[in-house]
Amino acid sequence: MSAEKMTEVEETLQRAVRLKKMVDRWQNSRTHCMWQTTLSQRRNPYAILRMQGTMEQELALADRHLLLVRRAALHQLFEEEHEQYRQELQRMGKAFYVERL
């Protein structure tokens, strides 16, 4: 064999070795990921139950706060409409009856 052919074969062999190492690393990573997945699946039911409980509490609080915000907005709308009606009646020379105690 010629020297050029030998260097070409050596380079090919080195490339094959690098590819083999890369495939081995990929297989090890895949095995590790699969192991982590099964490990997390074994622990996951309890974590899921805790997360669901937390989510339910957060949704209940969010619903409560949304209700409070909507009530405040509705109250503000009623106040603005009342003021608008009072001004319209005042322009016509009329007024709301207000009982004073």
Side-chain angles (χ1 to χ4, degrees):
M1 253 194 214
S2 69
E4 293 175 1
K5 188 75 167 166
M6 287 292 285
T7 55
E8 189 177 310
V9 169
E10 286 177 1
E11 289 174 1
T12 305
L13 182 62
Q14 287 175 355
R15 251 187 279 139
V17 168
R18 284 195 305 261
L19 286 173
K20 174 78 169 107
K21 286 181 181 179
M22 186 174 69
V23 167
D24 288 342
R25 282 194 307 265
W26 180 81
Q27 285 177 338
N28 288 339
S29 295
R30 184 179 179 278
T31 304
H32 184 72
C33 287
M34 294 299 289
W35 181 75
Q36 286 291 334
T37 303
T38 58
L39 183 64
S40 67
Q41 285 174 351
R42 282 182 269 159
R43 284 187 303 209
N44 226 6
Y46 300 109
I48 289 173
L49 289 175
R50 280 195 310 272
M51 285 174 38
Q52 284 177 344
T54 304
M55 279 194 322
E56 288 172 2
Q57 291 174 352
E58 288 177 358
L59 285 173
L61 287 173
D63 287 343
R64 176 83 173 126
H65 286 288
L66 180 62
L67 180 65
L68 292 174
V69 168
R70 291 181 72 188
R71 272 190 193 158
L74 188 60
H75 181 72
Q76 182 180 0
L77 179 65
F78 285 150
E79 289 292 323
E80 290 171 1
E81 286 182 353
H82 180 75
E83 182 63 25
Q84 182 182 0
Y85 291 146
R86 187 190 64 73
Q87 288 174 358
E88 288 177 8
L89 288 173
Q90 187 178 18
R91 275 188 242 129
M92 294 188 306
K94 300 178 181 178
F96 282 116
Y97 173 75
V98 179
E99 184 177 344
R100 298 185 183 186
L101 299 175

